[in-house]
Structure formats: C-alpha cells, structure tokens
Amino acid sequence: MSPIFYQKDVHLVAIDCIIMGFKDNDLHILTARRPFEPFKGGWSLMGGFVNANESVNNAAKRVAAEFTGISNIYMEQVGAYGDVDRDLGERVISIAYFALVDIELFDRSLADKFNTRWVKVSLLPQLVFDHNDMVRDTIAILQKRAAIKPIGFNLLSKEFTLPVLQSLYEAIYQESIDKRNFRKKILGMEILEKLDEKDKNSSKRGAYYYQFNKEKYDQLVQQGLHFSL
Amino acid sequence: MSPIFYQKDVHLVAIDCIIMGFKDNDLHILTARRPFEPFKGGWSLMGGFVNANESVNNAAKRVAAEFTGISNIYMEQVGAYGDVDRDLGERVISIAYFALVDIELFDRSLADKFNTRWVKVSLLPQLVFDHNDMVRDTIAILQKRAAIKPIGFNLLSKEFTLPVLQSLYEAIYQESIDKRNFRKKILGMEILEKLDEKDKNSSKRGAYYYQFNKEKYDQLVQQGLHFSL
DNA sequence: ATTTATAGTGTAAAGATAACACTTATATTG
DNA sequence: CAATATAAGTGTTATCTTTACACTATAAAT
C-alpha cells in the first residue's frame, strides 16, 4: 500500500518572476520575447528552472538577479501553478514570485542581452502560458500587502518625494487618493524622515525628499503598532 | 547559452494538506503518525506525491479526499516549500494546501486505516520536517481570509447556531469577540437565514439555527458589498 | 415555584475615514 | 522685475465604523 513501493513521478520545476518597477507614475513589469519554442517570440515573464542543488527561494533570487543585475531584491512567493498542460511543450510545474525593484538599479545592458522590456501593468499584452494569471494574482497580493506593510519603498530610490510616494500607492491601488489624507496618514506613522533637499524636476516649487526609516518602523512594530494605508 | 541545451533537473513534488475541522469550540488539524522513514512515527500532515498526469490542484484534492473520505472540499494553496533539505530523506518540493471540512462528514474508519487524529491547533505537537511552518502560514492566511470572505461556514454543518459561529471566529482569530457586536455585524450582512428549529444541546433555552445563503451573498458581492468580520 | 445556564438584545462614546479649497514657493515669461 | 503658471503643502468637519458595556428572556431541571 505504501507509496514507497511505487515509482514516484518526477517533474520539471520552473520559476517565473513578476519583476515590478515604478516609473512615469505607473507600475511596470519586466517582460521578454520568449527565445524558445513553444510560443517563440511571445511575451513572457522572466523564468528559469530550479536546479537540484538550490532551494526554490534561491532559484527565484537567482532568476531575478540574472535578468535585472540586482541582488538583494525584495521577493515574495505568489504560488505554484500546476495544471498539467499549462506549458504546452512539456509538463512543467512553475512557482511564481513577485519582485519589487528600484528601476534605477536595473542593468540596462541586460535588456539587450535578454530582449526584455518594461511594460506598464495597465498596458500589459497577452503573455504566454498562464503568465497573465500570475500577474493578476501578483497584483491582488500586492494590493493587500502594500496596505499593511511598507513594501512600496522597495520600488523607489532611497530618497523620494511625497507626491511620488502617493502616485506609487495610487498605481498599486488603481485609484486616486486625497493628497491631504495621504500625507496625514503616512506622516502620522512617523516612519519617514524629511530631508533638506528638494526635487525640483517635477515642479517649480520643488518637493522635499524623504526617506524610509526602517529602524523606527521595526521599533513601532515591536510596540504593536501597524502600518496601514 | 540557452538552458534548452542543458540537462534540466527534475524533482519529486509532494502535496501536504493542512486539513482543518472545528469541534469542541476549537480548530483542529488532522495529523497522522508517519508510516515511513525518515521520522517514522513522527507526527505529520497528510501528504502524497503529485503524479505526472494530474494537476497540482487535483493532487491536493485527491490527497484531502483520500484521508477524509470527503469530496468537494474547500481548499486553498498555502505555498511551495522548497528548501533543499527540508525533507531529510531525499529532495522533495512540497506544495501545501489548507482544507476546511465539516468534521461531521469525516469518515472515521479512515482514522484507523491511516492512523490519524484530530488535534487542537492550540495543542499541536512538533511535526516532522517543515510541517509546523506550513501550519503557521495556514493560520496566518486563514485569519486574513476569514475576515473578508465567508469561508468559515465550510467548517460548520449546514445548520449552525450563532453562538457556535461566534466561537468559530474566536478560534480563528484567537481572541474573544463581543456577542452583541458580532451578531450586529453578521446579521447586518443579511447573508444568514434564521430557521425555526433550535439547538437545545448547549442550553436550556436553545439557540436558533441559521444557514448561510450563498445566493444572497453572491448577489451582494455583485453589488459591490463585501463580507467583513 | 425556584433555580440555573445560556440566548438574545440596544445605545452611546471613541476612533477612523472621507470629503473638501485655499495658500505657498519658485521657475518662467513678458 | 512684475506677472503668471505650476505643483507642493496645509486643517477642519462630517460621516461612518468600531468598541465598550449590562440587563432581560427562555426553558429545562430541581
């Protein structure tokens, strides 16, 4: 009766990464023209296979670093996608991860090497296999997670202005937010530090730069206080 | 350069099910004495391997049905667990699912067959491998999910009393809830139907039975209203 | 008839969220 | 150098949501 006496089936296990960046007031996803059959030339997420000697989490980090040139990326697992014929070539079980990167750190030489492009989430084309499902599930997770954890900062440079931070949250939630209410709430948390410099690119007056204070945040969490936007 | 020219590694892919039931005012998880090495005799979740010809979701349903005798179980994926040495015998990537069952429907003959037992979540022993992590992650998901979706009803019989429903939510959130506030909220959603019979087992006065009206709930969701407890 | 145990019920205070419009700073232009 | 144009920055009020809180009702058992 015991399964140990049967031959157990083995599977190809892949990683697919939903690599997200923020620019031009919009969330973007790194996509590539798929270089292999099946669906050669179709738009695809960044992927790779899990090797025998690496954890699934490490495989995801490896893949994300390979296509962006960035290490230490913030990543979360989205889930396993396991329909028998989800990959039309052969059976592959894929584990999807989303990655939040500061798009400024992206190594642009890799865009040529891998034929990748940052596309707006709102203008995402049809992707191969079930990759659109993965993106949809990612956005659902991101909306929930961003509301209760300060993960949005991973999408910004270390220094950012409040108008940019607000437009990031508007992009994530896909709805506009009242400026005064947003500032009241985010500044009320006391996890941001106001700097003396201003960003004068987007307005004549200029907007002050802020930076996220992780130490203060961790301290507040320990006191039982919670991020909530 | 293309990975297609390399031998790709293949993996054993397992399912582990966190099968949850509700009785005696507490959440319970189905556990079994593990019948194989490694860790033969250790407490374990219900597991199995994904076959070549079945989707991962179907494998999870198969495993859950095999150990409970119940089909059409409410299940959600918890995530993939992929450390290289998480299973000390051989490398196995496991995909965990939680299942919510009406414990009354459990086929008790299977408890003998598989040497399983329902144990209180609050008294869960140490489990083999990373199974305790899976349980912890399940409870975190369950707490969030139960707050925004009426999934708790999957743990109850079709007819239930409000005191029982409240104790279910108290068990999920691991905190006590004010009786009046709870009733106000849940009845205010208008997704419950009051029946004429009472349950007289737990009190002299008896508590009215209610049942969940899924049609009404779906209708309200379409109108943009949301469950929130 | 009395006791006992759980079911059932409403209101008010506090806190969170949502709605709303004008002033300020500064680069650019005439 | 005065006027203009543009985005940054700032408080208050109303509404809704959440929380806190204590007594009455029902019916079985004695």
Side-chain angles (χ1 to χ4, degrees):
Chain A
M1 285 306 291
S2 147
I4 217 160
F5 299 128
Y6 289 92
Q7 180 69 43
K8 288 173 261 180
D9 295 327
V10 290
H11 306 268
L12 287 168
V13 178
I15 297 291
D16 281 301
C17 290
I18 298 91
I19 299 174
M20 311 200 82
F22 184 69
K23 64 173 180 178
D24 305 335
N25 282 353
D26 243 315
L27 285 173
H28 289 66
I29 293 181
L30 193 63
T31 59
R33 288 285 186 187
R34 185 174 161 84
F36 324 115
E37 293 296 344
F39 289 113
K40 183 169 175 173
W43 288 108
S44 165
L45 295 172
M46 306 298 103
F49 286 92
V50 176
N51 298 325
N53 60 356
E54 68 182 348
S55 73
V56 174
N57 281 342
N58 283 347
K61 283 186 185 170
R62 173 175 56 77
V63 170
E66 181 181 352
F67 289 101
T68 61
I70 311 171
S71 49
N72 275 95
I73 296 179
Y74 180 85
M75 298 186 78
E76 283 191 45
Q77 191 185 113
V78 176
Y81 293 74
D83 281 357
V84 174
D85 53 2
R86 54 169 292 283
D87 183 320
L88 282 83
E90 54 194 337
R91 197 209 175 153
V92 179
I93 292 169
S94 181
I95 304 174
Y97 284 76
F98 73 81
L100 305 182
V101 306
D102 172 4
I103 211 165
E104 297 290 325
L105 303 178
F106 176 66
D107 179 345
R108 306 189 65 164
S109 71
L110 297 175
D112 298 329
K113 180 173 171 193
F114 294 115
N115 202 10
T116 59
R117 211 170 291 180
W118 289 97
V119 302
K120 289 192 184 195
V121 168
S122 53
L123 300 174
L124 203 67
Q126 190 172 18
L127 306 176
V128 299
F129 309 151
D130 48 6
H131 287 192
N132 286 100
D133 295 338
M134 295 175 177
V135 172
R136 186 203 52 216
D137 295 344
T138 293
I139 290 172
I141 293 173
L142 184 59
Q143 289 180 339
K144 286 183 197 147
R145 193 69 88 256
I148 58 169
K149 274 192 152 183
I151 60 173
F153 302 105
N154 293 295
L155 289 159
L156 303 176
S157 301
K158 213 175 137 197
E159 307 185 351
F160 50 83
T161 65
L162 291 186
V164 165
L165 185 63
Q166 177 174 345
S167 72
L168 168 62
Y169 276 94
E170 289 176 330
I172 291 172
Y173 298 146
Q174 288 166 202
E175 61 183 25
S176 58
I177 304 174
D178 180 90
K179 191 166 42 162
R180 283 168 288 189
N181 293 339
F182 177 79
R183 285 163 170 267
K184 214 185 314 164
K185 213 162 179 186
I186 194 88
L187 292 174
M189 291 181 207
E190 303 191 313
I191 55 175
L192 295 187
E193 269 173 25
K194 188 176 182 175
L195 305 180
D196 290 330
E197 307 116 84
K198 282 182 171 182
D199 167 31
K200 295 247 176 114
N201 295 320
S202 56
S203 81
K204 292 161 184 171
R205 179 176 180 175
Y208 282 103
Y209 282 114
Y210 286 78
Q211 62 185 23
F212 176 57
N213 186 335
K214 176 144 174 44
E215 292 68 40
K216 205 154 184 185
Y217 169 70
D218 290 338
Q219 200 182 311
L220 290 172
V221 167
Q222 280 204 316
Q223 292 168 29
L225 295 166
H226 290 291
F227 185 92
S228 160
L229 258 184
Chain B
M1 287 305 290
S2 145
I4 216 160
F5 299 126
Y6 289 92
Q7 182 68 42
K8 288 171 263 181
D9 295 328
V10 291
H11 306 267
L12 287 169
V13 179
I15 296 292
D16 282 301
C17 290
I18 299 92
I19 300 174
M20 312 200 81
F22 183 71
K23 63 174 180 179
D24 305 335
N25 282 353
D26 242 315
L27 285 174
H28 288 67
I29 291 180
L30 194 62
T31 58
R33 288 286 185 186
R34 184 174 161 86
F36 325 116
E37 293 297 344
F39 288 113
K40 184 169 174 172
W43 288 107
S44 165
L45 295 171
M46 307 298 105
F49 286 92
V50 177
N51 298 325
N53 61 356
E54 69 183 346
S55 72
V56 174
N57 281 342
N58 283 346
K61 283 185 185 171
R62 172 175 58 75
V63 170
E66 183 181 350
F67 289 100
T68 61
I70 311 173
S71 49
N72 275 95
I73 296 180
Y74 180 85
M75 299 186 78
E76 283 191 47
Q77 191 185 110
V78 176
Y81 293 74
D83 281 357
V84 174
D85 54 2
R86 54 170 292 283
D87 184 320
L88 282 83
E90 54 193 337
R91 196 208 176 156
V92 179
I93 294 169
S94 180
I95 304 175
Y97 284 77
F98 73 81
L100 306 182
V101 308
D102 172 2
I103 211 165
E104 297 291 325
L105 303 178
F106 176 66
D107 179 347
R108 307 189 63 162
S109 71
L110 297 175
D112 298 329
K113 181 172 170 196
F114 294 114
N115 202 9
T116 59
R117 209 170 295 179
W118 288 99
V119 301
K120 289 194 183 194
V121 168
S122 53
L123 301 175
L124 202 66
Q126 190 172 19
L127 306 176
V128 299
F129 309 149
D130 48 6
H131 287 192
N132 286 98
D133 295 338
M134 295 176 179
V135 172
R136 185 201 54 214
D137 295 344
T138 292
I139 289 171
I141 293 174
L142 183 60
Q143 288 180 340
K144 285 183 197 146
R145 193 68 89 253
I148 58 170
K149 273 191 152 181
I151 60 173
F153 302 105
N154 294 295
L155 289 160
L156 302 177
S157 302
K158 214 176 136 194
E159 307 185 350
F160 49 84
T161 65
L162 291 186
V164 166
L165 184 64
Q166 177 174 346
S167 72
L168 168 62
Y169 276 94
E170 289 175 331
I172 291 173
Y173 298 146
Q174 286 165 204
E175 61 183 25
S176 59
I177 305 174
D178 180 89
K179 189 163 46 160
R180 284 168 287 190
N181 293 339
F182 177 80
R183 284 163 171 266
K184 212 186 316 165
K185 214 163 178 185
I186 194 87
L187 293 175
M189 291 181 207
E190 304 191 312
I191 56 176
L192 295 186
E193 269 173 26
K194 188 176 184 176
L195 305 179
D196 290 331
E197 308 116 83
K198 281 183 171 181
D199 167 33
K200 296 244 175 119
N201 296 320
S202 56
S203 81
K204 292 162 182 171
R205 178 178 180 175
Y208 281 103
Y209 281 114
Y210 286 77
Q211 62 185 22
F212 176 56
N213 185 335
K214 177 146 175 43
E215 291 69 39
K216 205 153 183 185
Y217 169 70
D218 290 337
Q219 199 181 312
L220 289 171
V221 167
Q222 279 204 316
Q223 291 167 30
L225 295 166
H226 290 291
F227 185 92
S228 160
L229 257 183

